Amino acid sequence: MSDTSPERAGGATGADPSALAQTIVFSGVSVVRDGRTALDRVSIGFEEARVGIVGLNGSGKSTLLKCIIGLVAPSAGTVAVDGRDALREARAIRRTTGLLFQDPDNQIVMPTVDEDLAFGLKNHGFSKAETAERVAGALVRLGIAPLARRRIHELSGGEKQLVALAGVLAISPRTVLFDEPTAHLDLKNRNRLRDVLHALPEQAIVVSHDLELLADFPRVVMIEAGRIVRDGAAADVLAHYREANR
Amino acid sequence: MIAALARPGSSPLHRTAAARKLAALAAIATLLFFVDAPAPLGFAFAAGLAAARSTGVRFAEIGSDLKGPAAVLAVLGLADWWLVDAATAVSVVLRLGAIALFAHAVTVTTSTAELTAVLERLFVPAERLGLLDAARAALTVTLAIRFVPLIVEEAREIRQAQAARGLDGSITALAVPLMVRVIVRAEALADAIDARGFPPERAVVAPSRSPEIRPDREVPTP
Amino acid sequence: MTTRDLGLVALMAAVIVALGAVPAIPLAAGVPITLQSMGVMLAGLVLGPRRGAAAVAVVIALVALGLPVLAGGRGGLGVFVGPTAGFLVGWLVAAFVTGFLAMVFEAPEKPTWLRTAQLTAAAVIGGIVALYVCGILWLAFFVKMGLVKAFMVSLPFVPGDVAKAIVAALVTVKVRQAVAIERK
């Protein structure tokens, strides 16, 4: 890794990832919906602190993420997170595994910032006092404390994405799944999110078209038509992906 | 979030509990239903006007706030004047006007938060009767509040795009894309709501007369 | 109701509100014709009876909470004790009946013109007949107009509503060509 500045040191390859990272295992997972095969006999395990996933639109990347927290039921095979079945123990898994969606407008359900952050916390049974504490903490952590009482529809796209992420981080997950986090962001906000991602101690599995974001990940996986076709170090897989889609 | 009709203030009505104001309004509306003579209705109208003014809103503002209902009243009054007689028309206008003024006084002095609390209290007995699930009902209402500005914005964007292409005015060209966007968004929204752990686990298991929460996706039996 | 149903209901309620905010065609007597009542028909036609009625219930809850969601920025408790209350509550019946009939008439292999005609009929029976029964009864008894006068006062709005029913049917057919959605 060429960048060794202090702020980055504790990021992607530092800060004891093994403590937080969960082991995610796909065993022969197929997902077939309306005659379309979204995933085709996928067997793979993730336990690194950072894993990137690349693939063209419709290749199955989002479906893969959704299977991890039981939002999609496989037609065949099983998905397990630290040994827990993704469908049967979805609730427990969602407590330790957050998902940041592409469009923050689909993720934010409350009219104001603090109410929305509280939503996830209340669902998982945190007390009022803890909720208030964690909401404040998450906002400070992402540098958006001034937004606490703001109304969602007044925020910019970048601010909404950070609010959505704050909502995910507030429950202290061990893993955060990112589904194309910079897709709707302008350059400035994209850089902001990149910096946040670098400094994230939680395990992160990132689906992205923004290949630079994944450049220093220890592992990147390439999906094509529902199958894993390449799996290895970022430099190798990304080069292969670029070449394949010239 | 839509701006509510309530206005901040410290008038006596502002400081009265929401439930009391609602009950009083219902009682007044019911009572006036049985009164037909113009004189007592005139008194009621004056009382309504006083109540509305007591909230701190000026007469001119009351007038502009109520111009919609006033127009409806004018139509009904004229209809009665033409079809029946002047006395009946006057009674109808005075009665409905009085109720509208009292209602205005309540609306202006009761915040959305207070009304939401009343609404949530009403959900509890409804839930015990198995009519609805309080958490889901509350979330649905809040979601609607959250999304109204966004959907209004999308409707305006669609209209503008239409105008730019010279298709101004076609209702279908507005409603179809709007509905399609909504249906697609609902799918993603449902995923996000589930992903964030909704619904919360009940601390005490409620008697199972409330509706079963059925997941969208089939869970294979072990 | 599943989480997806919640989302559809809430967003449909938002659509009904949004259609009240779109510029309207003002008619006589100061009560503007807006697309909002068409939104109610759409709720039934597209989502079905239960979810359609639930969407209307959400709109009614918003009105009760003092939010200006009805066409013309109206809202608050005054509506429930005013002359149009029957029409507002009648929207619940309208959406349910419209949705119910849309389900009854449903059949996959029908020519488009026939489906459109049937959906229009559903919207007319639910969104006009059933709705006006509720609205007129309230006018007749609460406003003490008597049935005949209440009927006559409401009549001028019918032609506009029939036009809306036709448009609602056309919109529904096109929407269902674009996305798959069941009726519940």
Side-chain angles (χ1 to χ4, degrees), chain B:
Chain B
M1 201 148 128
I2 329 148
L5 298 162
R7 273 167 249 211
S10 51
S11 72
L13 276 178
H14 275 98
R15 285 176 268 131
T16 315
R20 288 217 181 128
K21 283 181 278 189
L22 294 176
L25 183 61
I28 292 171
T30 312
L31 180 66
L32 291 181
F33 177 78
F34 295 105
V35 178
D36 285 317
L41 286 176
F43 175 74
F45 188 93
L49 199 56
R53 183 69 186 86
S54 81
T55 66
V57 181
R58 298 178 185 286
F59 287 120
E61 270 189 282
I62 297 175
S64 81
D65 280 348
L66 293 177
K67 60 176 179 326
V72 174
L73 282 195
V75 171
L76 295 176
L78 285 170
D80 262 342
W81 195 312
W82 176 45
L83 296 167
V84 194
D85 58 43
T88 312
V90 167
S91 289
V92 167
V93 171
L94 287 176
R95 180 187 309 112
L96 294 178
I99 294 174
L101 286 164
F102 281 113
H104 183 267
V106 174
T107 302
V108 162
T109 59
T110 317
S111 71
T112 307
E114 286 179 273
L115 290 166
T116 308
V118 172
L119 195 67
E120 280 174 2
R121 284 208 297 268
L122 288 174
F123 282 162
V124 175
E127 186 170 39
R128 295 224 182 89
L129 289 173
L131 286 175
L132 52 75
D133 179 302
R136 317 191 107 204
L139 177 64
T140 313
V141 174
T142 314
L143 278 175
I145 295 176
R146 142 78 179 119
F147 278 103
V148 160
L150 193 74
I151 304 296
V152 168
E153 188 58 47
E154 285 190 351
R156 292 207 174 116
E157 276 169 13
I158 296 174
R159 259 279 144 89
Q160 278 168 3
Q162 271 183 271
R165 280 154 50 200
L167 294 167
D168 192 50
S170 163
I171 300 173
T172 310
L174 166 65
V176 173
L178 193 64
M179 285 300 299
V180 170
R181 283 190 204 192
V182 154
I183 293 170
V184 171
R185 189 184 284 282
E187 187 76 51
L189 187 60
D191 279 344
I193 291 172
D194 283 341
R196 296 181 69 186
F198 187 82
E201 251 164 14
R202 291 156 193 269
V204 178
V205 178
S208 56
R209 282 182 67 196
S210 46
E212 277 284 321
I213 295 168
R214 279 174 288 111
D216 248 334
R217 22 203 98 75
E218 294 174 30
V219 179
T221 45

Side-chain angles (χ1 to χ4, degrees), chain B residues 25-26 29-30 95-96 99-100 103, chain C residues 76-85 138 142:
Chain B
L25 183 61
T30 312
R95 180 187 309 112
L96 294 178
I99 294 174
Chain C
L77 299 147
V79 181
F80 293 94
V81 286
T84 55
W138 179 261
F142 174 74

